[in-house]
Amino acid sequence: MTERLADLTAVELVSRYQEGSLSPVEVLEDVLARVDSLEPRLCALYAPDPTAARAAARDSEYRWRTGEPAGPLDGVPVTVKENIATRGTPVPQGTAAADLTPATDDAPAAARLRASGAVIFSKTTMPEYGMLSSGVSTFHHLSRNPWDPARTPGGSSAGAGAAAAAGYGPIHLGTDIGGSIRLPAGWCGVVGLKPTHGRVAVGNPYPGRAIGPLARTAADAALALTVISGPDRRDYTSLPPLPDSTSHGNSDNPALDPQGLRIGLLLDAGLGLPVDPEVSAAVSAAATLLEKAGAIVEPIPPIITRAMLDGLDHFWRVRSAYDINAIPEGRRTKVLPEIRRWVSTATELTAFDVFHGYSQMHAMAVAVDAAFATYDFILSPVAPITAFPAELAYPTDDPLKPFEHIAFTVPYNMSTHPAATVNCGFSSTGLPIGLQIAAPRFNDLAALRLAAYVDSLVPDHRPWPA
């Protein structure tokens, strides 16, 4: 069988470049061929630039030949989500209402990828303002799930999830404010990490927002994290570099032995959509495997309340209404109708409602921190359901009930804890089921190491969709 270079991991690519058995130019061409084959159906990419990418790959090839790679990702093909600014490309945020002025500078994470020699060959799609867990957008074509194109890849890092599962290169950057990395990672069967808040500088920080990697392996996600993490003057919340910046998730950062770990198992969020029995069974089976390997696994009660989720909804509703009302009226009508319906109710909320909503985000953070008092990790489903139909903006198909599926993910945005996702099984219809692994603050690599261990235990590994 002919080796498909597009399917090699970043760790494998760097090793092959180092030994001289493979060239970044060869790899990029195979990735672009994969894109040409699948992209008309998946619609995962925005603003691809194969000409600039080929030039970057040639430069990388020269650096490897002379023994002077720029960094740990030199020559590795990567994508960056549309709302992570890259120099010279507009940032429409998934909406036709956007001003399409090109960005003047790379955002911190994109700049670090370039400095490391990574070949950014394209951006990836996102839904309207990143406020949907689907690929529905008035600007981009509808993104689809490689496992079943009738299903959503999830959102808001929709294109990133689809690109990772389809093998558009090994590393894809997404953003996450309520589950936007972990939901598409879970529904597309890949690894995703919402890092500790501030671990990766975002450039324009606000509560809950994080940037992190999606990849087919935890080792690749860890490698990407070590490259993009660290402080930046543009983000006052950004943290110092990772304590072990040389740990790339392979032999230096092996899968985490669960012997003696105390793990909380959250199977019922206590609110929102009911958990599909197949999802619950797959997550429970993964927890049982960890228990057999020596972990102490204990069921835990719901962490957040309905008042917390509704308060967050109220605050985000008013914030989004403020942003949309700032758009000139001629463009405002281009915003997705479901988003306009959601924000239209913002005027019904009082100042008291908005402040209370903000306070509930803090209450959510306190509740998560309390849940970690006696546990090293908390396991749960990523989402209560498998991927829903691609054309729906929300799994509820109701713009006034937009967050009924994020009760497992959004608490860790508000609390700033890292949370990773890894595939733990498949539904009877062949759709991936994601396991979420949340860890104490700053333990990002530990979450990925446990994800690697789970991946090594789970028996149902299927060929990637083609």
Side-chain angles (χ1 to χ4, degrees):
M1 179 181 291
T2 304
E3 182 180 47
R4 293 309 307 265
L5 304 182
D7 290 321
L8 295 179
T9 69
V11 172
E12 290 169 334
L13 289 178
V14 171
S15 177
R16 296 278 294 273
Y17 295 159
Q18 195 165 24
E19 69 186 24
S21 64
L22 198 58
S23 160
V25 174
E26 299 173 83
V27 173
L28 178 65
E29 290 304 326
D30 201 55
V31 169
L32 294 178
R34 175 73 56 85
V35 168
D36 288 343
S37 172
L38 299 182
E39 184 57 10
R41 195 172 190 196
L42 298 182
C43 300
L45 301 187
Y46 161 64
D49 191 349
T51 300
R54 286 184 170 108
R58 289 193 296 270
D59 290 343
S60 175
E61 180 182 62
Y62 176 79
R63 289 192 295 270
W64 281 109
R65 280 182 182 171
T66 57
E68 297 180 347
L73 288 178
D74 205 341
V76 175
V78 302
T79 69
V80 175
K81 187 177 176 180
E82 181 242 272
N83 64 341
I84 301 172
T86 54
R87 184 177 58 253
T89 305
V91 185
Q93 298 188 78
T95 179
D99 172 15
L100 296 181
T101 301
T104 56
D105 295 294
D106 286 339
R112 292 205 167 157
L113 286 176
R114 286 197 209 275
S116 184
V119 178
I120 302 175
F121 68 91
S122 184
K123 307 291 287 291
T124 52
T125 60
M126 62 181 285
E128 203 85 359
Y129 289 109
M131 293 305 297
L132 307 176
S133 296
S134 67
V136 175
S137 163
T138 56
F139 183 84
H140 301 295
H141 293 296
L142 180 63
S143 300
R144 296 180 179 274
N145 193 317
W147 293 94
D148 179 355
R151 301 283 168 168
T152 184
S156 64
S157 302
Y168 289 10
I171 290 174
H172 310 270
L173 291 197
T175 66
D176 192 316
I177 192 175
S180 289
I181 288 171
R182 290 156 291 158
L183 290 165
W187 286 329
C188 290
V190 300
V191 173
L193 175 72
K194 194 287 293 180
T196 300
H197 188 84
R199 175 66 69 209
V200 179
V202 300
N204 53 336
Y206 51 81
R209 187 172 190 227
I211 291 175
L214 296 91
R216 286 182 171 184
T217 68
D220 277 3
L223 174 58
L225 183 67
T226 61
V227 168
I228 62 175
S229 66
D232 189 284
R233 296 288 304 195
R234 291 171 283 180
D235 183 351
Y236 66 89
T237 69
S238 57
L239 298 172
L242 283 163
D244 183 4
S245 61
T246 64
S247 181
H248 296 159
N250 47 36
S251 59
D252 296 323
N253 188 33
L256 185 66
D257 184 350
Q259 182 69 41
L261 291 177
R262 293 188 60 84
I263 296 176
L265 176 61
L266 178 65
L267 291 175
D268 179 8
L271 67 158
L273 296 176
V275 179
D276 185 297
E278 289 189 312
V279 172
S280 183
V283 171
S284 296
T288 298
L289 291 173
L290 289 172
E291 193 169 33
K292 289 179 178 178
I296 301 165
V297 180
E298 298 174 349
I300 62 173
I303 295 175
I304 66 170
T305 65
R306 169 54 65 180
M308 293 176 190
L309 189 64
D310 287 348
L312 176 139
D313 180 2
H314 293 165
F315 179 80
W316 280 0
R317 202 176 293 216
V318 171
R319 176 183 148 244
S320 296
Y322 178 86
D323 291 341
I324 290 171
N325 285 338
I327 300 171
E329 188 173 355
R331 299 207 315 263
R332 204 179 307 153
T333 57
K334 297 180 180 180
V335 174
L336 188 76
E338 288 90 338
I339 294 289
R340 283 189 277 129
R341 175 73 180 105
W342 178 55
V343 302
S344 70
T345 60
T347 54
E348 301 169 11
L349 299 171
T350 66
F352 177 89
D353 294 328
V354 178
F355 180 79
H356 180 259
Y358 188 81
S359 72
Q360 290 304 296
M361 292 159 62
H362 172 72
M364 198 179 289
V366 171
V368 171
D369 201 57
F372 271 106
T374 55
Y375 294 109
D376 301 302
F377 297 95
I378 295 175
L379 303 186
S380 74
V382 175
I385 57 173
T386 54
F388 55 94
E391 289 78 12
L392 295 182
Y394 310 95
T396 58
D397 199 21
D398 183 351
L400 298 185
K401 294 182 178 179
F403 300 145
E404 297 303 295
H405 59 294
I406 66 171
F408 288 113
T409 52
V410 73
Y412 303 114
N413 293 84
M414 298 303 105
S415 69
T416 77
H417 289 70
T421 179
V422 64
N423 181 247
C424 66
F426 292 85
S427 71
S428 57
T429 57
L431 294 173
I433 295 171
L435 169 72
Q436 181 173 240
I437 302 170
R441 276 186 296 274
F442 317 122
N443 286 7
D444 309 75
L445 290 177
L448 289 173
R449 291 177 63 202
L450 188 58
Y453 192 89
V454 170
D455 188 53
S456 72
L457 292 179
V458 171
D460 192 359
H461 285 93
R462 304 187 182 186
W464 291 102

